[in-house]
């Protein structure tokens, strides 16, 4: 049940109506949200609704639901460890419980997501020496959104240990924190103190907040269905699918288009998640802040997928020592964070390569600042060059993200650098969409704020007309098929 589909819109409307009918009563609203969240999660397991009333053989249904059972078991273990941590005053035991929680979560992630990568790697390394390694893949059923859930669980456990979150939450609250349907699979990553603390409060929703939420959802739908999907189907998919059939210039345009597609796809998802959460009285953190206007790579990572970047900073970079150690150690910390952050996106060494390139670039920027000093207010020329260099690095490294493997990425790079001119395959629609994507990203935020304020001040019938016209426009411009979110594969 993708959040840009008509089914999801109908689903949210129904849950919204039921939720605000029972919102004053704790257990009815919690059970409603948990039921809705489980329904959304199960939809990603591709289990037909009729399966629950006899439409699927019991054996097949159990296999389909194995990832859900694994997830529920993991949450149960984590909940028991967190509760135990909160009930003891013994520092040694508290530390042991937090270590067990982290190890169990990372072990679950490593076993289901990275075991196959380890098998292939060991096989490729030892095979030439005559050492036989298991030749068959493990075929493990990966729970949907496992990486995201593990990050949520670790942040909750560590925050309880640090005293930044309470352990006095019921299993239902813990489970809902992990599964809350507006951001069930891809975030934003919400800290326990930002969400669980509000479960027991009676929610409120003003007219202005509701209209702002609808506007935010509409913006997210435009980003996803109009900009991201049109760029993806119109130029990104064809060129990356057969780079040898296109000129160097067209490959370069496709690389830029994919960079824009990825931003509008994921930021559109985040806008919808933030808007839907607002409709139920919850506030999610922002996830993007016009990252392609960053003047350096550090600023880029402070603007891109901010909930993930802040997680890596707070739960990996700072515990490793952050900036407080020697210069070589700081560079080591940066490399560790970026390589592991790269592998988090997928069980493939190309993601580690992508992270390592960003790590080397970040170390380069840091060394430059150590050598020359960090300029607080750079001039316009330096700002422009910094933005261009940062964006170029991001575009070039994103090729590794989009390619199915390093060999394909190498083929794409070779074609892009071959110097073959020509842009015959880039039509007017693609040029227009690229221009819209760049302009929409570059305009000041106050323009969006003004548009939102104008929408709020409209009479209710006028707002309804705007939303209907917007829906018709999206239907006209967007692709006929419903394309899944790009980031779901990571």
């Amino acid at each position: 049940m993708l959040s840009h589909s008509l089914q999801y819109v109908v689903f949210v409307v129904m849950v919204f109506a039921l939720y605000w009918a029972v919102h004053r009563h704790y257990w009815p609203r919690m059970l409603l949200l948990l039921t809705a969240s489980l329904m959304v999660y199960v939809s990603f397991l591709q289990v037909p609704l009729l399966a629950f009333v006899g439409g699927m053989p019991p054996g097949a249904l159990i296999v389909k639901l194995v990832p859900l059972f694994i997830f529920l078991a993991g949450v149960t273990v984590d909940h028991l460890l967190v509760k135990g941590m909160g009930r003891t005053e013994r520092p040694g035991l508290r530390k042991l419980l937090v270590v067990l929680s982290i190890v169990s979560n990372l072990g679950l992630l490593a076993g289901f997501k990275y075991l196959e990568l380890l098998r292939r790697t060991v096989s490729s390394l030892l095979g030439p020496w005559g050492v036989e390694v298991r030749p068959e893949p493990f075929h493990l059923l990966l729970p949907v959104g496992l990486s995201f859930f593990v990050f949520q669980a670790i942040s909750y456990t560590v925050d309880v240990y640090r005293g930044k979150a309470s352990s006095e939450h019921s299993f239902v609250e813990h489970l809902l924190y992990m599964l809350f349907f507006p951001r069930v699979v891809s975030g934003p990553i919400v800290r326990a103190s930002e969400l669980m603390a509000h479960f027991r409060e009676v929610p409120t929703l003003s007219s202005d907040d509701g209209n702002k939420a609808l506007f935010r959802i509409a913006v997210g739908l435009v980003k996803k269905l109009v900009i991201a999907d049109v760029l993806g189907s119109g130029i990104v998919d064809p060129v990356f699918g057969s780079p040898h059939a296109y000129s160097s210039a067209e490959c370069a345009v496709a690389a830029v288009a994919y960079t824009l597609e990825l931003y509008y796809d994921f930021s559109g998802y985040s806008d919808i998640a933030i808007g839907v959460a607002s409709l139920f009285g919850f506030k999610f953190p922002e996830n993007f802040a016009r990252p392609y206007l960053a003047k350096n790579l550090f600023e880029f990572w402070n603007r891109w997928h901010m909930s993930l970047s802040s997680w890596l900073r707070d739960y990996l970079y700072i515990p490793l020592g952050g900036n407080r150690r020697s210069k070589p150690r700081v560079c080591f910390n940066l490399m560790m964070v970026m390589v592991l952050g790269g592998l988090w996106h997928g069980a493939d060494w190309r993601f580690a390569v992508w992270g390592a390139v960003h790590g080397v670039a970040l170390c380069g920027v840091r060394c430059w600042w150590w050598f020359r000093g960090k300029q607080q207010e750079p001039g316009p020329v330096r700002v422009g060059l910094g933005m261009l260099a940062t964006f170029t690095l991001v575009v070039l490294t994103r090729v590794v993200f989009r390619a199915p493997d390093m060999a394909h990425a190498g083929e794409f790079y070779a074609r892009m650098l071959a110097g073959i001119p020509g842009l015959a395959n880039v039509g007017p629609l693609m040029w227009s969409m690229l221009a819209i994507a760049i302009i929409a990203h570059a305009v000041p935020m106050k323009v969006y704020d003004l548009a939102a304020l104008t929408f709020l001040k409209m009479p209710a019938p006028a707002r309804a007309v705007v939303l209907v016209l917007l829906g018709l426009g999206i239907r006209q411009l967007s692709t006929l098929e419903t394309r899944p979110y790009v980031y779901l594969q990571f």
Side-chain angles (χ1 to χ4, degrees):
M1 196 186 304
L2 299 172
S3 62
H4 59 284
S5 65
L6 181 60
Q7 297 97 313
Y8 186 80
V9 173
V10 174
F11 175 80
V12 169
V13 170
M14 295 173 60
V15 176
F16 177 84
L18 292 172
Y19 178 78
W20 288 106
V22 301
H23 74 282
R24 295 185 180 278
H25 307 284
Y26 172 78
W27 279 112
R29 71 170 182 267
M30 289 295 293
L31 292 177
L32 174 64
L33 289 180
L34 182 57
T35 302
S37 299
L38 284 168
M39 290 177 66
V40 172
Y41 185 76
V42 169
S43 74
F44 282 99
L45 304 179
Q46 298 181 344
V47 179
L49 183 60
L50 290 178
F52 294 100
V53 290
M56 179 180 286
L61 177 59
I62 291 174
V63 170
K64 284 281 188 178
L65 292 179
V66 163
L68 178 60
F69 298 150
I70 294 169
F71 168 77
L72 292 176
V75 175
T76 302
V77 171
D78 196 58
H79 176 71
L80 293 174
L81 291 172
V82 170
K83 294 292 283 186
M85 190 194 316
R87 289 172 179 159
T88 180
E89 297 296 329
R90 297 164 58 186
L93 181 56
R94 284 174 57 84
K95 183 173 290 188
L96 175 62
L97 291 173
V98 73
V99 169
L100 287 175
S101 176
I102 293 173
V103 169
S104 65
N105 278 290
L106 291 180
L108 193 67
L109 180 63
F112 282 95
K113 189 170 183 177
Y114 300 106
L115 188 60
E116 178 61 23
L117 173 63
L118 179 63
R119 184 198 66 81
R120 295 198 310 266
T121 303
V122 173
S123 178
S124 63
L125 291 176
L126 299 183
W129 298 91
V131 179
E132 185 176 350
V133 182
R134 175 189 171 101
E136 303 87 7
F138 288 106
H139 298 299
L140 297 176
L141 290 172
L142 178 66
V144 179
L146 181 61
S147 299
F148 168 72
F149 291 133
V150 166
F151 274 30
Q152 291 269 126
I154 290 176
S155 68
Y156 178 40
T157 303
V158 174
D159 283 354
V160 169
Y161 178 75
R162 292 173 176 174
K164 296 181 179 179
S166 172
S167 63
E168 298 304 314
H169 291 286
S170 67
F171 179 73
V172 170
E173 291 174 331
H174 193 160
L175 186 58
L176 183 57
Y177 164 67
M178 299 291 289
L179 274 176
F180 192 38
F181 75 88
R183 56 96 178 98
V184 64
V185 174
S186 295
I189 300 173
V190 184
R191 307 291 175 89
S193 58
E194 297 172 334
L195 184 59
M196 295 180 77
H198 302 293
F199 283 157
R200 299 183 184 182
E201 299 175 357
V202 177
T204 59
L205 181 68
S206 67
S207 176
D208 283 352
D209 288 340
N211 287 320
K212 288 178 182 177
L214 292 176
F215 181 82
R216 189 69 180 265
I217 294 170
V219 170
L221 289 172
V222 171
K223 284 182 176 181
K224 166 61 181 170
L225 295 174
V226 176
I227 300 179
D229 282 5
V230 171
L231 288 175
S233 61
I235 187 171
V236 175
D237 290 353
V239 177
F240 273 89
S242 304
H244 58 274
Y246 294 87
S247 69
S248 300
E250 289 165 345
C251 287
V253 171
V256 173
Y258 176 66
T259 303
L260 294 169
E261 178 199 5
L262 192 60
Y263 165 74
Y264 281 101
D265 182 278
F266 196 19
S267 68
Y269 175 98
S270 298
D271 286 336
I272 295 171
I274 292 170
V276 172
S278 296
L279 289 177
F280 293 88
F282 296 95
K283 185 177 181 180
F284 281 1
E286 294 294 333
N287 218 19
F288 293 91
R290 299 191 296 168
Y292 298 148
L293 299 183
K295 300 182 289 294
N296 58 67
L297 206 55
F298 280 97
E299 185 179 339
F300 170 81
W301 282 109
N302 286 328
R303 291 167 171 249
W304 175 271
H305 200 349
M306 295 187 291
S307 62
L308 173 62
S309 297
S310 64
W311 193 100
L312 292 172
R313 178 197 65 207
D314 294 344
Y315 301 101
L316 184 56
Y317 183 67
I318 292 177
L320 285 172
N323 299 332
R324 303 186 305 273
R325 303 296 181 89
S326 64
K327 290 180 173 62
R329 180 56 185 271
V330 170
C331 290
F332 172 80
N333 294 343
L334 287 172
M335 289 297 300
M336 283 290 293
V337 169
M338 294 312 301
V339 171
L340 293 176
L343 278 175
W344 175 82
H345 287 84
D348 194 301
W349 288 117
R350 76 180 194 274
F351 294 112
V353 170
W354 168 84
V357 172
H358 272 262
V360 170
L362 287 169
C363 290
V365 173
R366 180 68 71 182
C367 290
W368 177 257
W369 288 346
W370 286 331
F371 178 69
R372 294 294 299 270
K374 185 177 180 181
Q375 193 171 352
Q376 297 300 321
E377 296 183 5
V381 174
R382 186 181 292 271
V383 168
L385 291 176
M387 291 172 59
L388 179 61
T390 302
F391 184 69
T392 300
L393 176 68
V394 171
V395 170
L396 292 176
T397 54
R398 285 273 164 77
V399 171
V400 177
F401 245 63
R402 181 58 179 77
D405 49 53
M406 289 301 296
H408 193 94
E411 179 185 351
F412 191 94
Y413 284 129
R415 190 67 177 179
M416 187 166 56
L417 299 175
I420 303 173
L423 291 167
N425 292 299
V426 185
L429 177 60
M430 288 303 102
W431 286 120
S432 300
M433 201 55 62
L434 285 167
I436 291 171
I438 293 170
I439 293 171
H441 190 73
V443 296
M445 286 304 300
K446 61 183 181 182
V447 174
Y448 289 97
D449 294 338
L450 180 60
L453 183 61
T454 303
F455 181 78
L456 290 176
K457 291 183 176 180
M458 288 181 178
R463 289 198 298 269
V465 170
V466 169
L467 292 175
V468 170
L469 292 176
L470 180 62
L472 293 174
I474 290 174
R475 184 68 184 85
Q476 183 67 27
L477 290 173
S478 65
T479 55
L480 294 178
E481 59 176 318
T482 300
R483 293 168 59 90
Y485 287 102
V486 175
Y487 235 79
L488 289 183
Q489 64 183 294
F490 305 133

